[in-house]
Amino acid sequence: MAADASLACINEWGRPAADITHLVYVSSSEIRLPGGDLHLATRLGLRSDVGRVMLYFLGCYGGVTGLRVAKDIAENNPGSRVLLATSETTILGFRPPSKSRPYDLVGAALFGDGAAAVVVGADPVEGKEEGFMELSYAVQEFLPGTHGVIDGRLSEEGINFRLGRDLPEKIEGNIEEFCRKLMRIGGLGDGVGFNELFWAVHPGGPAILNRLEGKLGLEEGKLDCSRKALMDYGNVSSNTIFYVMEYMREELMKKRNGGEYKESEEEWGLGLAFGPGITFEGVLLRSL
């Protein structure tokens, strides 16, 4: 799946695969040596000196972590082009229905399989590349004392995951402070309201989106792309943030092609994801 998504991404990018200088691969669905990063680089025909980074078992925030790592690589290596790929499958965590484990059915219904890929770089080549979203600033933070709320362990049955019922509550109680911190560090003052931003939020589940929307006082429609991604694909762990961003890109293109785009459209936004730790991962985004 990662290879298919990457090939489609490179094809849309329009430059040869040999121009990829770095590869960041994110997955919580495999354990092997050599890692999936090497297998993916080989499948794609990337050059042998491509710089590889493998991010294992970050869970739902892995996609945004990948963006942060790719951003740092691109900014510190002039001319570099970073392929960020994610891939997840639920089969390793599937367990047959059991009356003693009714919660397993929730996971089977909520989570899905999929892959995604993006190319990240600085200073786009005029006439050859066109950016969609600028990654302005990135922040990661964990909540002390919450490491047991999301628990995943490898056993003879595969990978067993357990999500605490208080996860939405923990996110709700800390999300406003985290967003304000990200905005301040990124240069947006406290005077900027949440409804002046666009929102690309990993949809961990309906309860998380509802609580976040209520806590931040977001207007109706601000989380439409997140809800659409959840409805169409489920929670696909690290991939899902890219599905949300793709829907945002489609909506923006429709507005521009239909003459509905206005200069007053939100320029700045937040990309957010949450996962084991509990870890908050956020990126301050600028629409290009």
Side-chain angles (χ1 to χ4, degrees):
M1 292 189 295
D4 289 344
S6 298
L7 288 172
C9 176
I10 293 172
N11 182 62
E12 184 174 346
W13 176 45
R15 292 178 59 179
D19 287 352
I20 296 295
T21 60
H22 297 77
L23 171 65
V24 177
Y25 180 47
V26 182
S27 181
S28 298
S29 303
E30 61 168 285
I31 304 173
R32 56 177 167 173
L33 295 173
D37 56 326
L38 180 58
H39 290 282
L40 180 58
T42 302
R43 285 279 299 273
L44 297 176
L46 303 184
R47 60 201 215 192
S48 61
D49 64 346
V50 66
R52 309 188 322 271
V53 176
M54 180 74 224
L55 299 176
Y56 273 136
F57 288 99
L58 300 182
C60 293
Y61 68 88
V64 183
T65 301
L67 286 173
R68 175 168 54 82
V69 172
K71 165 183 164 62
D72 287 347
I73 293 173
E75 290 177 340
N76 287 283
N77 294 271
S80 62
R81 290 298 180 266
V82 185
L83 175 64
L84 166 60
T86 61
S87 183
E88 306 287 2
T89 178
T90 59
I91 190 63
L92 292 181
F94 178 78
R95 303 170 75 184
S98 170
K99 291 182 179 179
S100 63
R101 301 191 308 266
Y103 188 76
D104 289 347
L105 295 176
V106 177
L110 178 62
F111 290 93
D113 301 342
V118 296
V119 174
V120 178
D123 301 321
V125 178
E126 187 174 354
K128 292 185 178 181
E129 298 173 310
E130 184 178 356
F132 157 59
M133 201 78 75
E134 179 183 283
L135 309 175
S136 180
Y137 204 90
V139 170
Q140 184 191 73
E141 185 174 350
F142 71 91
L143 305 182
T146 64
H147 64 277
V149 177
I150 303 175
D151 186 71
R153 299 174 184 271
L154 184 64
S155 71
E156 293 178 351
E157 293 182 310
I159 300 174
N160 297 331
F161 291 104
R162 186 187 66 82
L163 303 179
R165 295 180 180 274
D166 56 345
L167 175 60
E169 179 183 348
K170 296 290 187 184
I171 293 175
E172 179 186 24
N174 293 274
I175 187 61
E176 183 173 1
E177 180 182 349
F178 179 77
C179 291
R180 286 296 181 194
K181 177 180 180 179
L182 177 56
M183 292 165 64
R184 284 195 301 270
I185 294 176
L188 294 185
D190 289 336
V192 177
F194 290 137
N195 283 303
E196 297 177 59
L197 307 174
F198 61 84
W199 294 80
V201 180
H202 167 79
I208 291 176
L209 293 179
N210 292 341
R211 283 178 176 262
L212 185 148
E213 184 178 55
K215 179 66 174 181
L216 301 181
L218 298 183
E219 297 170 352
E220 184 178 354
K222 286 290 185 179
L223 299 181
D224 279 358
C225 290
S226 293
R227 290 196 165 95
K228 181 172 174 57
L230 182 63
M231 180 177 65
D232 290 348
Y233 302 107
N235 182 340
V236 201
S237 194
S238 64
N239 305 303
T240 323
I241 189 65
F242 300 108
Y243 301 162
V244 175
M245 295 176 73
E246 179 68 10
Y247 281 140
M248 297 182 74
R249 183 172 74 151
E250 291 176 359
E251 288 297 318
L252 182 60
M253 291 177 65
K254 285 180 182 178
K255 289 182 179 180
R256 286 176 173 169
N257 294 336
E260 301 175 20
Y261 181 76
K262 303 175 182 178
E263 290 300 325
S264 59
E265 295 279 350
E266 299 97 334
E267 177 184 8
W268 295 94
L270 297 183
L272 304 173
F274 322 99
I278 296 170
T279 299
F280 283 38
E281 191 84 60
V283 181
L284 179 63
L285 304 168
R286 187 170 75 90
S287 179
L288 299 177

